[in-house]
Amino acid sequence: MKAILLVHDQAALMVVAGLPLLARALCAGHRGGVTEWLIISQIEIFPIQQLLTSEPRLQRISYALIDQIEASEKLLSNWIGDAEALLLSCTAVFTSAFIRQALTSPLPAPTPVTFLTGSGQETDVYRGAAPCLWTLLRTKLRTPPTPFPVPCSLSPVTIHKGLWAPLTLGQQEVERRLFASLGRDTDGFLARALDRKVSRAVTRRLAHTRITPNQITAFSFALGLLSVWLLIQPHYWPRVCGAVVLLVSTTIDGCDGELARLKFLESDFGAKFDLIADNIVHLLLFPGIAVSLYRETQLPLYITLAFVTLLGVLCAMAVAYVAIFRSSAGLTEKDGKRTPLMELYERITGRDFAYMLFLLALFDRLSWFLWATAIGTYVFAGGLLWVFLQRAQRRREGSCRD
């Protein structure tokens, strides 16, 4: 679906969380399913053109930029055709989830609609055919006084997903709400209660730098390797320090995804890099704990558990590779959302385990963690494989019916 974006004033060029508001609106709309933009400017076009041509993230987005003087009912009708379109103003921060629901929400009647947030707040976002959108648009354009048509009747539709925050709230409040929306539904309890609060504070500072999500992943990976080295040591305090470093690593690991979603830098490579880095750390971490306990106690049982956990992690990685990396669906959908199988993987491999590891290291009970992982890796691999095979069978049955 196409969308019209009205640029009222210089606020559209204001940087919000490291990205100009206009660029953020176009990227969010593109991720949400907008196929083409018509940007109508009420300010000088030159600075907008500079932004549109200089921002790499906008190169893959289809748009046309016109001055408000060029806007007309005929132009709008020719551009939209017989279909519907969205009309919104560049006066708020919104997420792709909000736009996606605005594009796909079933309409209560074949009349134009105005969208409300879940709290009932009007959003200044409309959806309808060209004649009504032109009527609405004319009331917003600063044109010479002319007789305006009677505004068309609008039906309200509530959107419960995503974020829409007007600049009238103030930049600080808008950014606060934007950062609060960066979490994932797959986050565990401790990740939501603790990790995200810390990672969002870090991401807020990184948003205004040139640091990329992949650089954050690399730094988190280095911390993960350091934690493995400390946990392999056969002494109490190095292992506790290793558990603390792992906690820091998992918290920092949340920043790469937050920054990617915040600045529209998600990529299939970045998702794979993050997943591979995590798996390498796990591949070394779990057998490393067994080696540490063997070095401390000299019990052959821990050498056996080292091989058992190593094989379990390898099995889990192999299943994840087949089910996710080699899956026809891939890691992400076209709109940037995680695939259902990837969401399941993230739920099971959440960061809450790092807190359990820390507590058990603190009470010198890492052997409990080792037994849990020795069994849990095989249960995880088998469960993920079963889900993948069930989904593959349903796809085949669906193809046969078609």
Side-chain angles (χ1 to χ4, degrees):
M1 186 180 293
K2 297 180 178 181
I4 304 162
L5 184 64
L6 183 58
V7 178
H8 290 284
D9 50 38
Q10 296 291 335
L13 304 177
M14 180 178 67
V15 175
V16 177
L19 198 63
L21 183 63
L22 175 59
R24 183 171 295 283
L26 295 175
C27 290
H30 178 71
R31 282 291 172 88
V34 174
T35 57
E36 187 177 352
W37 286 98
L38 176 63
I39 307 169
I40 302 177
S41 176
Q42 294 184 271
I43 62 174
E44 184 183 355
I45 282 186
F46 179 69
I48 298 180
Q49 287 177 326
Q50 280 189 314
L51 171 63
L52 295 176
T53 55
S54 63
E55 176 52 63
R57 277 159 285 200
L58 302 180
Q59 303 308 308
R60 62 183 182 274
I61 297 176
S62 177
Y63 62 85
L65 173 63
I66 64 171
D67 187 271
Q68 65 167 344
I69 300 176
E70 302 176 62
S72 66
E73 184 174 7
K74 181 179 179 181
L75 182 145
L76 210 63
S77 297
N78 291 338
W79 185 72
I80 297 176
D82 296 329
E84 293 180 338
L86 287 185
L87 170 63
L88 58 161
S89 301
C90 195
T91 56
V93 167
F94 49 83
T95 59
S96 57
F98 180 90
I99 295 298
R100 189 177 302 113
Q101 191 172 354
L103 293 175
T104 58
S105 292
L107 302 186
T111 58
V113 298
T114 178
F115 292 101
L116 312 176
T117 64
S119 62
Q121 179 187 16
E122 295 184 2
T123 65
D124 199 27
V125 178
Y126 310 94
R127 175 177 152 194
C132 185
L133 292 185
W134 172 247
T135 301
L136 292 167
L137 185 61
R138 289 190 65 186
T139 65
K140 299 175 180 295
L141 295 176
R142 293 194 295 266
T143 54
T146 55
F148 285 176
V150 177
C152 52
S153 176
L154 297 172
S155 300
V157 172
T158 301
I159 293 183
H160 297 282
K161 294 182 179 179
L163 169 73
W164 188 89
L167 294 181
T168 52
L169 295 173
Q171 184 174 358
Q172 185 175 359
E173 175 61 17
V174 167
E175 289 190 347
R176 187 194 69 78
R177 296 190 183 191
L178 181 60
F179 282 106
S181 70
L182 294 176
R184 286 194 178 280
D185 295 336
T186 55
D187 287 340
F189 172 76
L190 293 175
R192 290 195 303 271
L194 299 175
D195 277 27
R196 286 298 179 190
K197 291 183 178 180
V198 177
S199 64
R200 284 170 188 159
V202 175
T203 302
R204 180 185 291 272
R205 287 156 178 79
L206 295 176
H208 299 281
T209 70
R210 294 187 178 183
I211 295 176
T212 67
N214 289 339
Q215 291 171 340
I216 298 174
T217 301
F219 179 65
S220 173
F221 180 45
L223 287 178
L225 295 178
L226 175 61
S227 72
V228 170
W229 181 79
L230 289 169
L231 283 163
I232 287 177
Q233 305 308 311
H235 306 293
Y236 173 78
W237 284 111
R239 293 198 295 237
V240 171
C241 291
V244 172
V245 173
L246 183 66
L247 268 177
V248 175
S249 172
T250 57
T251 301
I252 296 297
D253 188 46
C255 296
D256 56 3
E258 290 174 353
L259 190 65
R261 294 189 294 277
L262 179 70
K263 303 180 77 171
F264 302 97
L265 295 172
E266 301 107 316
S267 67
D268 200 50
F269 169 79
K272 289 180 179 179
F273 179 31
D274 184 43
L275 194 56
I276 290 172
D278 288 344
N279 279 325
I280 291 175
V281 171
H282 296 163
L283 183 65
L284 300 174
L285 175 68
F286 301 139
I289 293 173
V291 171
S292 172
L293 294 172
Y294 171 75
R295 293 175 66 187
E296 182 182 32
T297 64
Q298 297 300 309
L299 292 176
L301 171 65
Y302 290 120
I303 293 298
T304 303
L305 286 176
F307 283 105
V308 170
T309 53
L310 178 62
L311 181 60
V313 174
L314 287 173
C315 287
M317 291 174 63
V319 172
Y321 178 78
V322 172
I324 300 176
F325 284 1
R326 300 296 295 178
S327 171
S328 59
L331 295 172
T332 57
E333 306 285 5
K334 292 182 179 179
D335 56 11
K337 293 179 62 180
R338 290 288 201 270
T339 60
L341 199 61
M342 185 61 188
E343 288 188 354
L344 174 64
Y345 181 89
E346 288 182 337
R347 286 184 185 276
I348 298 175
T349 59
R351 287 171 279 168
D352 285 1
F353 86 92
Y355 289 92
M356 181 175 67
L357 176 63
F358 169 72
L359 289 175
L360 292 176
L362 193 62
F363 289 99
D364 202 15
R365 290 293 183 269
L366 282 180
S367 59
W368 296 2
F369 183 84
L370 183 61
W371 279 105
T373 55
I375 299 171
T377 50
Y378 293 95
V379 173
F380 165 71
L384 187 64
L385 181 61
W386 182 82
V387 172
F388 170 70
L389 294 176
Q390 290 295 313
R391 286 178 55 83
Q393 182 178 354
R394 285 197 295 268
R395 286 198 301 269
R396 286 194 298 268
E397 291 173 353
S399 300
C400 292
R401 285 194 297 268
D402 293 341

